[in-house]
Amino acid sequence: MKNFNIYITAGLVGLLVTTSCKKLNLTPPSQIPVSLSFQSVKDAKIWDTGLYGLFRGIQNGSYVSYSDVQGDQLNATLDFGNRSGSPHRWDLQGDDQTIAPMWAGYYNVIANINTAIAGFKTITPASTAETAQLNQYTGDMYLARAYCYHKLITRWAKPYETATAATDLGVPLITVFDLNGAPPRASVKAVYDQILADITTAKTLLASVAGTQGAKTFTIDVAVALEARVRLYMHDYTGAYTAAQSLITANKYPLITTAAALQTYWYTDGVQESIYQPAASLTELPAAMALYLSYKSGNSAYDPDFVPTQGIYDLYPVGDIRKTTYFALSPVKVGSTSATIQLVNKYPGNPALYTGTFVTSNYVNAPKVFRIGEIYTIAAEAAIGAGSEPNAITALTALRVARGETPVVATGAALVQAVRDERTRELAFEGFRLDDLTRWHLGFTRLTPQITSIIYTGAAYNLQTQVADANKFVWPIPSNDLTINKNLIPNPGY
């Protein structure tokens, strides 16, 4: 007969399930059973530290780039080597070995969180100070779970619509660790209800953790920022506006107004606009974003996987400080073809995080998970949805003027488009584009390229066209999960 034991590696959060015969039921010397890992608040701190390590791991690389690569703003170069090819061509399948690990990545974080939440309840703090610490660690867990579920429901389910959310299929909703569980897909509404409940709990537990620029751990402001994002996606415009406006009026994270300061923010990881910016160091590097640059010293030129379209570059007016920050006119050599074009320069790599002996960047920057620029776009869009164009104009104009644009002068449909365009400009290449098109119920034709001689062309590439609400705006439930868990139902089109 086999016994099941769960161990936690000292200093890390990571569930390891082992099976063994009774005589071999021994604890590995470098690990302790999970049942013994919740003895004190110090133990809770270890789990909390581990959470932040796992959480940072889902903030960069394909977790960010995939939804942009699938959208309308990028072209695949002839040297892209089919990296991120399936989303770019819209031929996603359930066995896609880059999407499936993201699904697993979010659920791995959730599994650890569920274990920690249950374990924290068994800890008895020894003092008032320890009670406050345990509350903070617990709040971190609830907030991270809300974040992960929002990512899952956004990419693997239909967008939230009040009329159908109670019947639309969401994702499996797991709040208790169960090794043998085979949960069905909860409704979109049920998942969003859980997200809001977790945010509410987190706000209570983190109420005394004040927000600061570039916070490396969760604060009350991070909880409010996530709430604003979630409520916008739910079309709870009044709630989204209230949450966003509270962060704006507090003025803790003033908008950057010069190109030099914005470049410092993005290139060397400044903190002025960051509500939450995970730690990054030479010993704990986040994932790289090399797909947009990839300098080849032998050619004295860049060889990126993806280049921005002319259409997205032209969306920024002359004088917009983001135009000279998010893009850089650079030499490229793709195959045997050389050219000078605009490249995405939002992730050039922080020199403080360079590794190896070469001068060229490894394209690692600290992720900016929540920042005030997004909050202004939420306030503007939510104000329109809540029926207040003046409030929308105020938020939109503040962002535009800070970035070097003129105040907005628009009403009605023109104002809606102005808000969407500004969100596109502000959040370009940060992983929001496909989500925005999905919840706006908009199709697209990929924007005009800068150059055709170095990119793949044709219907699957630069001419890619998708109608609104096409099936593959929603990603496939991984085939392996469908095989193992017979209670799961695949998404349409897969």
Side-chain angles (χ1 to χ4, degrees), residues 83-346:
R83 290 175 289 271
S84 305
S86 57
H88 191 65
R89 291 188 302 271
W90 282 69
D91 60 2
L92 294 166
Q93 301 298 329
D95 60 356
D96 186 290
Q97 290 307 302
T98 45
I99 284 183
M102 285 188 272
W103 165 279
Y106 290 125
Y107 273 112
N108 179 53
V109 177
I110 290 169
N112 280 272
I113 288 169
N114 289 341
T115 302
I117 289 174
F120 289 179
K121 293 176 181 178
T122 69
I123 296 173
T124 302
S127 65
T128 301
E130 282 200 350
T131 298
Q133 290 174 339
L134 186 59
N135 283 343
Q136 181 174 349
Y137 303 150
T138 307
D140 289 348
M141 296 294 167
Y142 278 100
L143 192 60
R145 187 168 72 181
Y147 177 94
C148 289
Y149 270 121
H150 189 239
K151 285 293 186 180
L152 285 162
I153 198 70
T154 300
R155 286 286 85 243
W156 279 275
K158 291 181 178 180
Y160 189 101
E161 296 297 339
T162 304
T164 60
T167 55
D168 287 337
L169 288 176
V171 296
L173 190 54
I174 307 167
T175 57
V176 177
F177 179 75
D178 181 0
L179 182 65
N180 298 310
R185 297 176 67 176
S187 70
V188 168
K189 182 179 185 303
V191 176
Y192 268 97
D193 286 348
Q194 183 64 53
I195 291 168
L196 289 179
D198 282 352
I199 292 173
T200 297
T201 299
K203 285 171 65 178
T204 299
L205 294 169
L206 297 173
S208 62
V209 184
T212 59
Q213 291 180 8
K216 300 297 187 288
T217 59
F218 296 157
T219 68
I220 185 61
D221 289 354
V222 180
V224 174
L226 178 58
E227 180 181 14
R229 183 187 292 177
V230 169
R231 290 191 183 280
L232 180 72
Y233 280 51
M234 294 178 68
H235 312 302
D236 174 7
Y237 295 120
T238 299
Y241 180 79
T242 298
Q245 193 63 14
S246 71
L247 293 170
I248 291 170
T249 56
N251 200 32
K252 292 181 186 178
Y253 315 95
L255 288 166
I256 291 169
T257 59
T258 68
L262 193 63
Q263 289 166 10
T264 296
Y265 178 73
W266 283 103
Y267 302 169
T268 58
D269 299 329
V271 299
Q272 178 173 320
E273 292 194 2
S274 288
I275 300 169
Y276 172 62
Q277 184 168 299
S281 69
L282 285 171
T283 56
E284 295 181 296
L285 291 171
M289 295 289 282
L291 75 166
Y292 296 132
L293 290 171
S294 190
Y295 186 80
K296 307 297 184 185
S297 56
N299 295 331
S300 297
Y302 294 90
D303 188 11
D305 288 351
F306 292 90
V307 296
T309 63
Q310 187 69 42
I312 184 59
Y313 180 74
D314 288 345
L315 188 63
Y316 297 81
V318 174
D320 191 320
I321 62 175
R322 294 168 297 196
K323 193 165 192 172
T324 54
T325 301
Y326 295 0
F327 305 92
L329 188 64
S330 308
V332 298
K333 187 172 183 181
V334 177
S336 60
T337 301
S338 297
T340 300
I341 64 172
Q342 298 291 341
L343 298 182
V344 175
N345 199 43
K346 213 167 193 177

Side-chain angles (χ1 to χ4, degrees), residues 318-444:
V318 174
D320 191 320
I321 62 175
R322 294 168 297 196
K323 193 165 192 172
T324 54
T325 301
Y326 295 0
F327 305 92
L329 188 64
S330 308
V332 298
K333 187 172 183 181
V334 177
S336 60
T337 301
S338 297
T340 300
I341 64 172
Q342 298 291 341
L343 298 182
V344 175
N345 199 43
K346 213 167 193 177
Y347 310 99
N350 185 342
L353 301 177
Y354 288 0
T355 57
T357 59
F358 295 101
V359 176
T360 54
S361 173
N362 53 0
Y363 313 109
V364 172
N365 287 96
K368 285 89 175 152
V369 182
F370 290 101
R371 62 187 188 83
I372 201 66
E374 179 199 356
I375 299 303
Y376 274 87
T377 72
I378 291 173
E381 184 176 341
I384 292 176
S388 177
E389 288 193 352
N391 285 341
I393 290 171
T394 297
L396 184 59
T397 293
L399 180 58
R400 286 169 61 98
V401 170
R403 301 312 195 212
E405 295 185 70
T406 58
V408 66
V409 180
T411 59
L415 181 59
V416 171
Q417 189 60 51
V419 168
R420 290 177 176 177
D421 286 346
E422 198 62 34
R423 182 174 170 89
T424 300
R425 281 189 282 265
E426 181 65 23
L427 302 179
F429 319 118
E430 293 182 53
F432 289 96
R433 183 58 174 168
L434 193 68
D435 299 346
D436 286 342
L437 292 171
T438 302
R439 67 187 178 81
W440 290 336
H441 298 285
L442 294 178
F444 72 86

